């Protein structure tokens, strides 16, 4: 995603070898931390953030007079702990000989919990003599708004107070132009030899063969002094909370497939990391570092990807978004009554209206997706109680589609930003250059995107189905509206000589005949005829789209194609997953397994964690995919992609009202011979499903069935 605010990479972000450091991210609720591979914060694009404000901008450790040598570092598989292993460079003489390099092992182990960073610095002397170990931390808090960190300039800002300190803690404070006083407190378990507003210096006596621990905490407020018991107690609570989030819903495992299981585990852990338990239920935040906040589109699609395994995400997303549905026309917020939000932020700049994202509605697709997800959720769970609760919101959303979403009365949902501060493109491809004509010209507004019409079609159909179940007299009219949208798309977007759909219509109703992956989303909604769906599938599987690592966002050879761009030729895992699920909807299975295998191979090169996107260069033997330099990592809908693609490959459809699980012509990716879905819950019933390759087919075997549940297998 791109909300129009660029990420500025500074010299402070470069590592020792001159290349960019890997950003290591942790998150808990509305607090997240981004550090380099040493665990340091250096004042660039990193920091400890709380509610979109950076409360610790610098935190760098030195041993002696130098940065230590890094041995290894990374985040644990469950995303709870960051650990860096470092060792000393030669230490300066302290009343005798200096300690040589490599005799002191220092482990920095860190986690976030309850709005705080907890860190343990463990020092072990592996030398043959006692050592006086000088350890120092340089720190600071700039209280920058996240949009400032991302490169937005401000003419004025509030007042940063001089840090105060007392023995073993330092307090930072800032009063913003919004009159809110924001604070941060950095505390140590041991009193430093010297403590100031920007630096703490320690001198530890470390006997040979012995270890010593220093505990550190940082958060927005002063709490108890850090110590071993606090560190251990909070670490246990953080790990248990993560375990609960990871174990929601059904699980998928590949017996005898440790690397594939590692991908599944990492993806599930990433969804769990980004999921925040809000009063309305669990909500998957979009991604770190730049999008650690509720986004409408991202939350809906992630919940849809996970729906067959864990419907609780969809329930939480629908409930949260319904509570923030727009009720007024506001050009700055891009809102109209019934519209579903695009993004919400909690920082100073949003509160002051310097950016519109405090509660921003500039997404043309989110309202349609909200309604469509409600329909999918009802089919998956049979939970009509929630649907009845949300019914006024769902009806209001369809009224927005009718009264505001279609600005020119042609029956199609379109967009044109209401204020210059808003997003110029308001679909999922929201960078400024992502929508264009076949000659590269940008279209005049209002613009009607292809995939959004598919979402609208799905929304109208969902309302028709739900309306029938709730005996709403408008159900038939909603069903007719869905068919009208289908007809309009087939007539106006189809390019006969290309055997493909145009990416959009411009304000004059002319098709933007660029060939993009948006058509895969249309397949996902089930709008095209079978013949046209097969034609689209053939092109999406051809060399112009397939990079060997997934499906490109734009076909090779199109104007503005650039495999290094954000939306014009890169590979987005979630985009690929929706296209793959769309192909499966029309009966394609082998190609689904093939693309899943390609994305699996890409994940293997990214340490089993799929980034938001990566470059769309052609796959070359012996080489991995090429990273996009500022992609979010982790990112929710990238992590959820594997689960939607697995559902597509396995051919699983769940109808809770009929108490039926249908398995249609299942297949498995290359190299995976068995797969088990455990604890699949349908109403009050549950079942395990074991899939196994037998000859040239994959067979499904129900096991441990509990309750009334029918399993139907077809080929």
């Amino acid at each position: 995603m791109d909300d129009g605010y660029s990420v500025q990479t500074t010299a402070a972000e470069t590592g020792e070898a001159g290349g960019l450091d890997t950003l290591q991210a942790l998150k808990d609720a509305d607090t997240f931390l981004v550090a380099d591979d040493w665990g340091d914060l250096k004042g660039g694009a990193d920091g400890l953030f709380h509610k979109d404000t950076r409360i610790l901008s610098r935190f760098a450790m030195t041993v002696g007079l130098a940065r230590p040598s890094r041995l290894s570092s990374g985040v644990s598989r469950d995303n709870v702990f960051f650990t860096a292993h470092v060792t000393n460079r030669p230490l300066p003489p302290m009343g005798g000989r200096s300690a040589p390099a490599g005799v002191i092992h220092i482990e920095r182990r860190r986690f976030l919990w309850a709005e705080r960073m907890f860190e343990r610095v463990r020092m072990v002397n592996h030398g043959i003599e006692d050592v006086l170990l000088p350890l120092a931390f340089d720190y600071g808090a700039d209280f920058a708004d996240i949009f400032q960190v991302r490169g937005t300039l401000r003419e004025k800002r509030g007042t940063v107070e001089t840090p105060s300190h007392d023995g073993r803690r330092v307090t930072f404070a800032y009063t913003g132009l919004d009159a809110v006083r924001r604070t941060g407190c950095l505390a140590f378990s041991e009193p430093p030899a010297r403590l100031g507003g920007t630096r703490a210096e320690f001198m530890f006596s470390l006997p040979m063969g012995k270890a010593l621990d220093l505990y550190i905490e940082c958060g927005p407020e002063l709490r108890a002094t850090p110590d071993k018991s606090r560190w251990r107690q909070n670490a246990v609570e953080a790990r248990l909370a993560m375990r609960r989030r990871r174990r929601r819903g059904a699980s998928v495992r590949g017996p005898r497939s440790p690397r594939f299981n590692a991908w599944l585990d990492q993806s599930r852990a990433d969804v769990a990391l980004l999921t925040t338990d809000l009063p309305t239920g669990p909500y998957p935040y979009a991604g770190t570092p730049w999008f650690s906040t509720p986004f409408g589109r991202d939350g809906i699609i992630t919940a849809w990807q996970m729906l067959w395994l864990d419907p609780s995400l969809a329930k939480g997303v629908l409930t949260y978004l319904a509570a923030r549905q727009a009720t007024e026309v506001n050009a700055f917020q891009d809102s109209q009554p019934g519209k579903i939000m695009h993004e919400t932020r909690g920082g100073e700049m949003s509160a002051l209206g310097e950016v519109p994202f405090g509660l921003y509605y500039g997404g043309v697709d989110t309202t349609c997706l909200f309604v469509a997800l409600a329909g999918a959720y009802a089919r998956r769970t049979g939970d009509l109680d929630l649907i009845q609760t949300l019914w006024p919101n769902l009806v209001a959303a369809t009224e927005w589609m009718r009264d505001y979403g279609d600005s020119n009365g042609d029956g199609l949902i379109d967009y044109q930003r209401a204020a210059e501060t808003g997003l110029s493109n308001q679909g999922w491809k929201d960078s400024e250059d992502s929508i264009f004509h076949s000659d590269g010209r940008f279209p005049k507004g209002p613009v009607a995107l292809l995939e959004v019409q598919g979402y609208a079609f799905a929304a109208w159909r969902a309302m028709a189905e739900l309306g029938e179940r709730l005996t709403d007299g408008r159900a038939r009219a909603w069903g007719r509206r869905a068919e009208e949208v289908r007809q309009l798309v087939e007539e106006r977007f189809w390019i006969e000589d290309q055997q493909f759909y145009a990416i959009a219509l411009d304000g004059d109703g002319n098709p933007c005949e660029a060939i993009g992956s948006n058509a895969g989303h249309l397949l996902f909604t089930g709008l095209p005829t079978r013949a046209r769906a097969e034609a689209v599938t053939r092109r999406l599987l051809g060399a112009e789209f397939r990079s060997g690592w997934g499906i490109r966002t734009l076909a090779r050879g199109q104007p503005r194609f650039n495999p290094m761009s954000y939306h014009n030729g890169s590979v987005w895992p979630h985009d690929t997953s929706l296209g793959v699920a769309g192909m499966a909807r029309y009966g394609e299975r082998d190609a689904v397994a093939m693309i899943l295998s390609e994305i699996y191979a890409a994940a293997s090169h990214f340490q089993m964690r799929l980034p938001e996107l990566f470059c769309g260069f052609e796959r070359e033997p012996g080489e991995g995919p090429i990273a996009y330099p500022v992609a979010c990592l982790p990112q929710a809908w990238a992590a959820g992609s594997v689960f939607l693609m697995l559902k597509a490959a396995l051919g699983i459809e769940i109808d809770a009202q009929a108490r039926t699980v249908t398995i249609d012509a299942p297949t498995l990716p290359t190299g995976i011979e068995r797969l088990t879905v455990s604890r699949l819950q349908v109403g009050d019933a549950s079942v395990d499903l074991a899939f196994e390759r037998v000859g040239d087919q994959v067979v499904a075997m129900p096991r441990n069935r509990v309750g009334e549940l029918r399993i139907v297998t077809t080929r």
Side-chain angles (χ1 to χ4, degrees):
M1 74 194 68
D2 176 6
D3 51 16
Y5 293 82
S6 62
V7 178
Q8 303 296 322
T9 302
T10 70
E13 297 172 71
T14 57
E16 288 186 331
L20 290 179
D21 290 342
T22 303
L23 293 178
Q24 305 284 355
L26 296 175
K27 175 191 169 294
D28 177 65
D30 290 317
T31 303
F32 71 92
L33 183 145
V34 181
D36 69 13
D37 288 321
W38 281 256
D40 288 340
L41 316 179
K42 298 176 293 183
D46 45 16
L48 175 62
F49 294 81
H50 178 64
K51 295 183 178 178
D52 288 330
T53 299
R54 185 161 62 182
I55 63 171
L56 190 65
S57 54
R58 183 167 178 80
F59 188 60
M61 184 182 77
T62 53
V63 181
L65 300 176
R67 192 182 209 193
S69 298
R70 187 175 68 92
L71 302 174
S72 69
S73 60
V75 175
S76 60
R77 281 289 186 196
D78 63 2
N79 285 326
V80 175
F81 294 100
F82 166 79
T83 305
H85 295 276
V86 301
T87 188
N88 66 294
R89 302 181 191 275
L91 297 179
M94 295 287 178
R97 291 192 310 161
S98 65
V103 299
I104 307 297
H105 171 234
I106 300 178
E107 178 197 72
R108 301 181 71 178
R109 190 162 171 83
R110 170 188 294 164
F111 65 94
L112 298 184
W113 179 244
E115 302 184 347
R116 299 183 75 72
M117 177 189 79
F118 292 82
E119 181 164 336
R120 184 189 67 197
V121 181
R122 173 162 289 172
M123 300 154 276
V124 183
N125 182 359
H126 292 285
I128 59 174
E129 294 182 328
D130 298 349
V131 170
L132 284 176
L133 180 64
L135 194 73
F137 294 90
D138 292 289
Y139 43 73
D142 62 2
F143 293 95
D145 186 280
I146 193 164
F147 287 99
Q148 283 180 273
V149 178
R150 294 178 58 190
T152 303
L153 300 178
R154 300 183 70 189
E155 293 183 3
K156 297 180 181 179
R157 61 176 314 218
T159 303
V160 178
E161 300 178 17
T162 301
S164 61
H165 50 89
D166 61 348
R168 65 180 78 196
R169 58 176 59 89
V170 182
T171 300
F172 312 100
Y174 167 78
T175 301
L177 298 179
D178 57 356
V180 175
R181 189 172 186 265
R182 296 170 172 87
T183 59
C185 182
L186 177 66
F188 302 94
S189 61
E190 301 294 330
R194 294 181 182 177
L195 179 66
T198 60
R199 183 175 172 87
E201 298 178 357
F202 297 85
M203 184 63 70
F204 293 110
S205 177
L206 193 57
M208 64 178 183
K210 299 296 183 180
L212 184 66
D213 291 339
L214 173 68
Y215 296 93
I216 305 169
E217 294 184 24
C218 185
E221 60 185 30
L222 178 65
R223 293 188 183 171
T225 300
D227 60 23
K228 179 179 180 179
S229 63
R230 280 183 55 78
W231 196 90
R232 293 183 66 178
Q233 176 185 349
N234 284 278
V236 168
E237 291 179 7
R239 179 153 266 174
L240 289 175
M242 179 63 77
R243 185 177 299 172
R244 287 191 295 270
R245 291 198 295 270
R246 291 179 65 191
R247 292 183 176 180
R248 285 174 175 149
S251 66
V252 186
R253 305 292 292 170
R256 303 176 188 172
S257 305
R259 286 183 61 78
F260 193 73
N261 285 339
W263 183 28
L264 297 174
D265 291 343
Q266 185 67 68
S267 299
R268 200 67 182 261
D270 285 351
V271 173
L273 172 72
L274 294 168
T275 296
T276 297
D277 290 318
L278 301 172
T280 48
Y283 200 106
Y285 285 12
T288 58
W290 307 118
F291 305 110
S292 187
T293 189
F295 273 75
R297 178 192 304 123
D298 298 62
I300 290 170
I301 289 179
T302 303
W304 209 325
Q305 291 170 327
M306 303 298 297
L307 179 60
W308 69 290
L309 295 172
D310 179 15
S312 72
L313 280 184
K315 183 175 183 179
V317 167
L318 290 167
T319 305
Y320 180 90
L321 293 176
R324 284 152 183 81
Q325 189 171 36
T327 58
E328 64 179 7
V329 175
N330 184 309
F332 183 67
Q333 292 181 313
D334 232 325
S335 68
Q336 298 103 18
K339 200 173 186 182
I340 297 299
M341 71 159 221
H342 169 69
E343 175 181 0
T344 183
R345 294 284 187 175
E348 177 189 3
M349 293 176 68
S350 296
L352 291 169
E354 294 178 28
V355 293
F357 303 110
L359 191 55
Y360 181 60
Y361 293 85
V364 68
D365 48 4
T366 310
T367 308
C368 303
L369 284 167
F370 169 77
V371 178
L373 177 63
Y377 172 82
R379 287 190 296 275
R380 169 64 181 86
T381 65
D383 181 6
L384 283 186
D385 289 341
L386 178 67
I387 299 302
Q388 287 177 323
T389 300
L390 298 180
W391 195 242
N393 304 98
L394 294 169
V395 171
T398 62
E399 290 172 348
W400 175 85
M401 292 166 61
R402 180 196 66 204
D403 298 336
Y404 295 97
D406 178 10
S407 69
N408 55 16
D410 66 354
L412 300 172
I413 304 295
D414 55 43
Y415 69 90
Q416 184 164 302
R417 65 180 174 185
E420 287 300 311
T421 53
L423 298 178
S424 56
N425 282 320
Q426 298 190 354
W428 87 262
K429 293 180 180 178
D430 53 7
S431 50
E432 292 183 353
D433 63 348
S434 61
I435 306 299
F436 49 88
H437 283 280
S438 58
D439 59 3
R441 286 180 298 113
F442 295 133
K444 62 177 289 188
V447 174
L449 293 170
L450 172 67
E451 73 275 17
V452 174
Q453 314 318 313
Y455 305 152
F457 166 76
W460 291 119
R461 289 195 67 179
M463 289 300 288
E465 294 173 9
L466 295 174
E468 286 186 7
R469 294 182 65 180
L470 297 180
T471 64
D472 191 304
R474 294 166 288 187
R476 289 188 179 180
W478 289 327
R480 288 194 297 271
R481 191 64 179 265
E483 292 308 310
E484 289 168 2
V485 171
R486 184 205 296 270
Q487 187 68 24
L488 283 169
V489 172
E490 296 287 41
E491 289 177 356
R492 301 188 62 187
F493 284 83
W494 182 251
I495 312 169
E496 183 62 29
D497 62 347
Q498 294 282 348
Q499 289 292 289
F500 209 77
Y501 291 94
I503 200 170
L505 301 183
D506 68 13
D508 293 325
N510 298 316
C512 300
E513 296 188 352
I515 304 301
S517 62
N518 309 54
H521 296 228
L522 200 67
L523 300 185
F524 176 71
T525 67
L527 184 149
T529 64
R530 178 167 293 277
R532 289 184 176 179
E534 290 172 352
V536 168
T537 296
R538 282 194 295 271
R539 286 202 72 171
L540 289 175
L541 295 176
E544 60 183 338
F545 274 108
R546 272 186 62 213
S547 69
W549 304 111
I551 296 173
R552 298 184 182 97
T553 51
L554 186 69
R556 191 175 58 193
Q558 292 292 301
R560 301 189 179 277
F561 174 79
N562 179 354
M564 301 176 290
S565 68
Y566 200 54
H567 286 126
N568 291 337
S570 53
V571 174
W572 289 62
H574 92 279
D575 179 48
T576 293
S577 75
L578 289 169
V580 160
M583 296 176 197
R585 184 170 189 141
Y586 289 88
E588 178 59 63
R589 287 288 183 275
D590 292 340
V592 167
M594 176 182 65
I595 298 293
L596 177 55
S597 298
E598 293 180 354
I599 292 285
Y600 172 36
S604 298
H605 285 279
F606 289 115
Q607 290 75 53
M608 296 304 174
R609 170 180 271 177
L610 284 172
E612 176 188 20
L613 73 156
F614 47 90
C615 294
F617 290 107
E618 197 76 19
R619 184 173 181 172
E620 297 291 343
E623 298 181 12
I626 297 174
Y628 186 82
V630 291
C632 278
L633 190 69
Q635 217 232 11
W637 63 14
S641 297
V642 58
F643 302 108
L644 181 60
M645 287 188 286
L646 274 175
K647 176 182 180 295
L650 298 176
I652 294 178
E653 293 296 334
I654 301 169
D655 185 335
Q657 184 182 20
R659 303 184 73 85
T660 300
V661 177
T662 301
I663 304 168
D664 179 28
T667 187
L668 290 170
T670 303
I672 306 300
E673 301 301 311
R674 298 178 183 176
L675 200 69
T676 301
V677 181
S678 301
R679 306 186 316 276
L680 186 66
Q681 196 82 23
V682 183
D684 57 2
S686 64
V687 68
D688 297 345
L689 298 173
F691 296 86
E692 183 173 353
R693 197 185 307 276
V694 178
D696 60 353
Q697 292 187 339
V698 172
V699 297
M701 294 165 284
R703 296 174 179 169
N704 303 321
R705 191 176 338 192
V706 176
E708 182 187 347
L709 187 63
R710 196 162 61 105
I711 312 298
V712 177
T713 58
T714 62
R715 295 211 66 82

